[in-house]
Amino acid sequence: MDTETPQIVISRVMEAPRELVYRAFTDPDHFAAWWGPIGNSLPRDEIEFDVRPGGYQRWTEVFPAHPALRVHIYVDLTDVAHGELLDGVMHVTGRLQDGIEPFETRFRVEFHDEADGRTRLEIRQWLPEHLAAPSEQGWLEAFTKLDVTLTSAHAAAVDVEA
Amino acid sequence: MSGTDQLSAVFSALADPTRRAILAELADRDATVTELTAPLPISMPAVSRHLKVLERAALISRSRSGKWRASRLEAAPLREAADWIERYRRFWDSSLTRLDAHLATVRAAGRATGRTAHDPTVPDSTVPDKVDDKERSWTPKPRRSSSRV
């Protein structure tokens, strides 16, 4: 999998030093305060982190506006460098949105120093393998979206190389 | 090809604007190399090379019979993949916006209690390597579900 191009490439500069941004990803109290879109919530007593190579990050996401949903995220951390890198496979199970099957996705988050005490996050994510399977409908709709997605992914990749 | 190899081939085939233009053309009707070349600013051999890439990615098929070898768009695997990518891009975007706000809150709290370790003007080497209890002491308590909306 390592050699394959990620389908999602995001580069973003945060207004905080690297150590603090890293902690926001690896300290349960920090993490619960920001992870996910507005409207989700992470019960604190269901967050278990053991951040080290071979360790894990586990939590549950609930959505007050959609009480039927209850999403369990188990991350197996394959590679961790304190303050610099989180790399692993995210397993998503539980009561998911209609039409979404449990899946797993590889991701990689790199933390880089930027000028003035800021931090550049480099986020990579890989499509779940089951989505490689062909499906019949909707190709052209997807095509329009992909055009946009690929263009912005490419732009991000160029930024990174620059 | 395995599923993931196939997917890589699809994405790299789609990364080229000329190949996307060819696919858009084939969305209307099957077409020969000659027909596909007409609206494009490139040569017929160049179009042929693009068609080979698209064929390897199984995005098109080409008839084997007759003098006019027509290319056909293969309605294929991409809708789910595109939806998934779209969903996760939105997910990261809103998460990182919240992260931004969270970091600002944490740093403001740090300044308010007189801590300077995370001031942007202080070199990074002064930032402790490990989380210790003192660091935790100014971590804001996570808000419970109802207050977060």
Side-chain angles (χ1 to χ4, degrees):
Chain A
M1 291 280 282
D2 286 19
T3 55
E4 285 173 28
T5 313
Q7 283 79 40
I8 296 179
V9 178
I10 295 168
S11 177
R12 187 142 155 178
V13 174
M14 311 304 289
E15 298 285 334
R18 187 162 51 83
E19 182 65 26
L20 180 57
V21 179
Y22 180 77
R23 202 180 312 150
F25 277 81
T26 54
D27 177 307
D29 289 332
H30 277 281
F31 191 74
W34 68 271
W35 176 262
I38 287 173
N40 87 341
S41 166
L42 277 51
R44 180 61 187 84
D45 55 358
E46 293 183 47
I47 303 179
E48 289 178 63
F49 284 3
D50 179 12
V51 179
R52 57 182 171 81
Y56 58 83
Q57 291 181 284
R58 294 174 188 161
W59 67 90
T60 300
E61 296 176 14
V62 295
F63 304 81
H66 305 278
L69 303 182
R70 192 172 181 85
V71 181
H72 301 296
I73 315 275
Y74 291 175
V75 173
D76 290 324
L77 292 167
T78 44
D79 200 3
V80 174
H82 183 91
E84 295 171 10
L85 172 70
L86 297 169
D87 193 323
V89 177
M90 183 182 287
H91 305 262
V92 179
T93 61
R95 297 203 301 269
L96 308 180
Q97 233 176 307
D98 276 349
I100 299 183
E101 296 297 316
F103 62 89
E104 53 182 60
T105 167
R106 194 195 148 201
F107 73 95
R108 180 179 178 90
V109 182
E110 295 174 10
F111 305 76
H112 297 277
D113 285 327
E114 282 283 303
D116 304 321
R118 295 177 303 160
T119 304
R120 188 177 79 256
L121 283 174
E122 297 288 351
I123 296 168
R124 305 273 181 280
Q125 201 175 351
W126 285 259
L127 203 63
E129 293 198 19
H130 77 270
L131 291 182
S135 67
E136 288 301 318
Q137 299 294 319
W139 195 90
L140 284 173
E141 288 165 53
F143 189 66
T144 314
K145 274 190 189 172
L146 261 177
D147 212 307
V148 175
T149 305
L150 290 167
T151 306
S152 50
H154 178 69
V158 170
D159 285 348
V160 171
E161 284 158 17
Chain B
M1 274 194 280
S2 76
T4 47
D5 289 345
Q6 171 68 36
L7 196 66
S8 296
V10 166
F11 276 93
S12 87
L14 286 171
D16 183 277
T18 303
R19 290 197 285 273
R20 292 201 297 269
I22 290 171
L23 289 171
E25 196 70 22
L26 291 174
D28 291 336
R29 58 186 158 72
D30 298 357
T32 64
V33 180
T34 315
E35 291 164 335
L36 288 169
T37 304
L40 294 170
I42 55 172
S43 69
M44 210 178 295
V47 171
S48 284
R49 283 196 293 276
H50 284 304
L51 289 174
K52 276 191 193 119
V53 175
L54 291 169
E55 191 175 29
R56 271 202 300 276
L59 289 166
I60 65 166
S61 62
R62 289 195 281 180
S63 57
R64 299 287 165 193
S65 63
K67 190 173 166 189
W68 312 107
R69 203 172 174 217
S71 296
R72 170 190 292 268
L73 180 66
E74 293 296 327
L78 294 177
R79 184 192 183 146
E80 259 192 296
D83 285 350
W84 190 92
I85 289 169
E86 187 66 18
R87 205 162 54 235
Y88 260 94
R89 286 194 77 85
R90 279 203 305 268
F91 176 88
W92 280 113
D93 191 56
S94 49
S95 275
L96 294 177
T97 300
R98 286 179 79 185
L99 175 58
D100 240 342
H102 172 68
L103 293 169
T105 307
V106 170
R107 300 184 75 208
R111 278 192 290 273
T113 55
R115 291 191 57 91
T116 56
H118 295 108
D119 190 291
T121 59
V122 175
D124 200 40
S125 58
T126 64
V127 177
D129 274 332
K130 298 191 66 167
V131 179
D132 60 25
D133 289 342
K134 268 185 287 183
E135 292 295 322
R136 284 180 189 280
S137 67
W138 50 270
T139 300
K141 293 281 175 277
R143 288 174 292 164
R144 304 309 295 185
S145 57
S146 56
S147 63
R148 180 163 302 127
V149 179

